Amino acid sequence: MRQVCIFSGSSHPQLVQSICDRLGQKVSKANLKKFANGETSVEIQTSVRDQDVFIVQSGSGGINDNVIEMLIMIAACKGGSSRSITAVVPYFPYSRQSKQKTHRSAITARMLANLMRVAGVDHVVTIDLHATQMQGFFKCPVDNLRAEPLIAKWIRLNIPDWREAVVVSKNPGGTKRVTSLADVLQLSFGIVTTDRRRQHPPGSMHNSAIFEPIGTDGTNEPGTLKEEAALVEEFERATIQPDSAQTNHSTNGWRPRPHRSVSTTSNNMRNRLSNGHGDYTSSPLVNSTRAASITTDDEGDGSHPLQRVTTAPGVSRLHRDDDGYEDSDDDDDDNTDENARDVITGRLIHGHIVDDDDDFVSMRSASIHETDDHPADTMAQSFISTTSERMRAPRHGLGGTGDATASDEEEEEALQDPDIETTVTLVGNVRNKPVLIVDDMIDKAGSWIAAAETVVKRGGATKVYCMATHGLFGGNSLHELEQCEEIEAVVVTDAFPIPAEKKRGISKLVELDVSGLLAEAIRRNHYGESISQLYQHFE
């Protein structure tokens, strides 16, 4: 191709060489080095005047150096009077930080997009952004290529019984990606979700609501309730009871009718003060109401239980059996059993499936129980207990519902915490079928191993294939996936460079070449052709 310059950054030179070999080009010369203090120096040694420049730089282990190097190369080519500058970024750095997770966190992906625009980029080519809406961060065109056709082709060629396979998402945030692949291969799909079981350490007063001032020792302040009761009685005598002059003038025992608001206020205060049936004990729970204390039977000392009533016409009251369960109007139990088989739950401790009858004792809770001098919670002058689990601030940023795609790091930390037990749920029938667990990247192995053990040990699957576009493999995750007996193969692309020392001794790793996809995207962009065919699947 004429008037084309393809430059390689220092992140993935092998991929750039493969791209140039497919296009019949040579890698353009550029001198990349660092000064003694760590500063990056870039010198373009090829004329780029009136040339279409393509700078190939992917994220890697030294991701911050890769970003700065790419920005400097863009600025250098812009200063060299190039016709256009296209940044080819197979794995876009900081793509997981595409939203504000907390109130004081930065949207780093948008900041990087602004930096590239200031440096002078005219076009961006990438593969499988972590969130597709990131394309709105850029002020220039973005080609978000997909590795799905490559993965689908590998499945057809290397899995003998792939027509019986089930595509599974390891979290709800990846369902769109999973359903897309399932539709292409005409397969069924499933979802694996994890839910952390909340731990309630002793003394936390879970689900408590205190409406009276209490002392520092956790009991009611002495004399507070009695003094308030005396004030109410005095207020009633002064406002409601008629004076002697009015009584003498009445001929039939008539009394002046009190004002409604006064009567309502005094009754509410009397009811609030008499909560607990007039027995003012030192317990702070006397004047609180729990949901568990509301029953449907008339038990106790004159309490007024809540009754279930019909709130809409045509909706009848639910009838319950002797054991407390609702009656079923459908006599056909087969359909119910069949639907129940598609939802399977299990227990995860330290990221691994355990039996349902295993006892779980939190190490943190055990240490609290062993401490005899654990101080009691003090809620001086509190209205609602701040230690109540229901009153805690949401863990996800800025309220609303949690985003699964943004909580991968928290999920991994929870799976590795020995003090937290996690409930895992598998939705979908995978019995005696191979399972394809698909996501956009593999960073840590905890959630992948948990999903693989769930579909095999609880769902009855035969084989598990872990598939992703970007194989980041942080820490020792690749060796952990290798040691997992339930995983048959780990399939990723070479968009993210995997160091040779990490691949040493690994037999389950399969790398798919994306150089042909990127080379065709570069060729079509240079000649102004459509790239729609790159998104299509071929048999």
Side-chain angles (χ1 to χ4, degrees):
M1 297 187 298
R2 296 182 178 180
Q3 294 185 325
V4 173
C5 293
I6 301 177
F7 291 95
S8 171
S10 58
S11 64
H12 206 337
Q14 296 84 1
L15 178 61
V16 182
Q17 186 62 51
S18 299
I19 292 174
C20 291
D21 292 342
R22 290 177 177 272
L23 295 175
Q25 296 282 122
K26 292 183 178 181
V27 181
S28 300
K29 294 182 180 181
N31 185 16
L32 308 177
K33 62 181 180 179
K34 287 183 176 295
F35 291 118
N37 60 352
E39 293 182 0
T40 301
S41 174
V42 174
E43 181 182 353
I44 303 299
Q45 298 178 342
T46 303
S47 175
V48 296
R49 183 175 297 274
D50 200 27
Q51 301 285 312
D52 289 334
V53 175
F54 294 89
I55 300 174
V56 184
Q57 179 80 307
S58 181
S60 65
I63 196 164
N64 293 326
D65 292 336
N66 300 150
V67 169
I68 294 299
E69 186 179 77
M70 178 182 62
L71 295 176
I72 296 176
M73 293 179 70
I74 293 173
C77 294
K78 189 71 174 180
S81 301
S82 61
R83 178 193 303 171
S84 65
I85 301 176
T86 301
V88 182
V89 191
Y91 169 72
F92 194 83
Y94 293 98
S95 60
R96 283 181 289 185
Q97 302 184 41
S98 60
K99 61 177 293 185
Q100 191 174 16
K101 298 180 181 180
T102 61
H103 292 279
R104 289 178 293 275
S105 62
I107 307 177
T108 316
R110 182 181 62 182
M111 182 189 69
L112 181 55
N114 294 334
L115 290 174
M116 294 176 65
R117 180 59 178 174
V118 171
V121 73
D122 299 310
H123 199 170
V124 175
V125 178
T126 185
I127 301 177
D128 282 338
L129 289 172
H130 188 61
T132 56
Q133 61 268 25
M134 284 176 54
Q135 299 177 65
F137 294 163
F138 297 86
K139 303 298 182 182
C140 62
V142 178
D143 292 335
N144 184 26
L145 305 178
R146 298 165 58 190
E148 182 181 287
L150 300 177
I151 297 177
K153 181 179 179 180
W154 186 90
I155 292 173
R156 294 190 183 99
L157 296 178
N158 295 274
I159 301 180
D161 51 348
W162 67 269
R163 298 184 185 275
E164 302 296 328
V166 178
V167 189
V168 174
S169 173
K170 68 182 184 68
N171 53 44
T175 53
K176 185 176 181 180
R177 185 179 298 104
V178 165
T179 54
S180 176
L181 181 61
D183 291 341
V184 169
L185 299 176
Q186 297 181 357
L187 302 176
S188 301
F189 68 92
I191 303 173
V192 174
T193 63
T194 56
D195 182 23
R196 184 185 311 178
R197 292 188 179 182
R198 296 176 178 176
Q199 302 294 331
H200 309 306
S204 64
M205 298 190 66
H206 172 69
N207 197 19
S208 62
I210 306 303
F211 295 94
E212 298 295 346
I214 60 178
T216 57
D217 57 349
T219 61
N220 288 330
E221 291 183 357
T224 302
L225 298 177
K226 294 182 179 180
E227 291 176 1
E228 190 172 354
L231 291 176
V232 172
E233 295 296 336
E234 183 179 355
F235 175 76
E236 290 180 347
R237 287 196 300 270
T239 57
I240 301 178
Q241 300 296 333
D243 54 12
S244 59
Q246 291 175 337
T247 306
N248 294 334
H249 285 86
S250 61
T251 58
N252 54 0
W254 173 86
R255 290 185 178 183
R257 185 177 182 181
H259 195 273
R260 184 176 230 177
S261 61
V262 175
S263 176
T264 304
T265 305
S266 61
N267 290 334
N268 291 338
M269 295 180 68
R270 186 186 298 107
N271 293 334
R272 182 171 63 87
L273 292 173
S274 62
N275 187 17
H277 314 294
D279 186 11
Y280 304 109
T281 63
S282 61
S283 173
L285 302 181
V286 170
N287 301 303
S288 64
T289 302
R290 294 178 180 270
S293 64
I294 300 175
T295 60
T296 57
D297 299 331
D298 294 336
E299 299 177 357
D301 358 322
S303 61
H304 302 282
L306 297 179
Q307 299 290 340
R308 174 176 288 192
V309 297
T310 302
T311 58
V315 179
S316 60
R317 184 179 300 178
L318 295 176
H319 300 282
R320 299 181 181 273
D321 296 333
D322 295 336
D323 56 358
Y325 291 95
E326 298 177 1
D327 289 337
S328 177
D329 296 335
D330 189 5
D331 295 333
D332 188 7
D333 295 335
D334 294 337
N335 294 334
T336 304
D337 295 341
E338 185 65 26
N339 294 332
R341 293 194 193 102
D342 293 341
V343 180
I344 302 173
T345 59
R347 298 173 59 197
L348 290 175
I349 298 179
H350 203 62
H352 296 279
I353 287 288
V354 297
D355 295 334
D356 294 338
D357 54 354
D358 288 350
D359 294 332
F360 170 70
V361 178
S362 173
M363 298 172 60
R364 189 180 294 117
S365 300
S367 63
I368 295 176
H369 281 292
E370 293 173 358
T371 305
D372 296 334
D373 56 350
H374 183 69
D377 290 343
T378 59
M379 298 180 297
Q381 304 296 333
S382 66
F383 177 70
I384 295 180
S385 170
T386 56
T387 58
S388 176
E389 185 74 17
R390 297 178 181 269
M391 298 303 297
R392 290 182 182 176
R395 299 182 183 274
H396 42 79
L398 304 181
T401 57
D403 188 355
T405 58
S407 61
D408 293 343
E409 193 72 19
E410 298 178 0
E411 180 183 0
E412 293 286 350
E413 293 177 359
L415 291 175
Q416 298 301 323
D417 192 342
D419 293 332
I420 297 177
E421 177 181 347
T422 305
T423 301
V424 61
T425 304
L426 170 63
V427 181
N429 183 14
V430 298
R431 184 167 299 277
N432 299 325
K433 299 178 181 180
V435 170
L436 314 175
I437 303 179
V438 180
D439 206 349
D440 66 320
M441 65 179 66
I442 301 179
D443 189 2
K444 295 184 178 181
S447 59
W448 293 86
I449 294 176
E453 291 184 357
T454 300
V455 298
V456 173
K457 295 182 179 181
R458 308 294 292 182
T462 57
K463 299 178 182 179
V464 176
Y465 298 87
C466 297
M467 301 181 175
T469 303
H470 309 293
L472 277 61
F473 299 120
N476 199 31
S477 59
L478 187 55
H479 289 273
E480 294 176 2
L481 294 173
E482 174 75 16
Q483 296 174 1
C484 182
E485 298 178 357
E486 290 77 12
I487 297 178
E488 184 73 15
V490 179
V491 182
V492 296
T493 68
D494 60 348
F496 188 93
I498 304 175
E501 55 271 15
K502 283 190 176 183
K503 296 189 293 184
R504 188 176 296 112
I506 302 298
S507 59
K508 296 181 180 180
L509 180 63
V510 178
E511 287 187 271
L512 305 181
D513 187 14
V514 295
S515 60
L517 178 66
L518 295 174
E520 186 64 16
I522 292 175
R523 190 192 69 81
R524 289 175 178 267
N525 274 282
H526 173 65
Y527 288 113
E529 299 177 4
S530 174
I531 65 169
S532 299
Q533 293 184 356
L534 300 181
Y535 297 93
Q536 298 179 3
H537 292 256
F538 298 94
E539 298 293 341

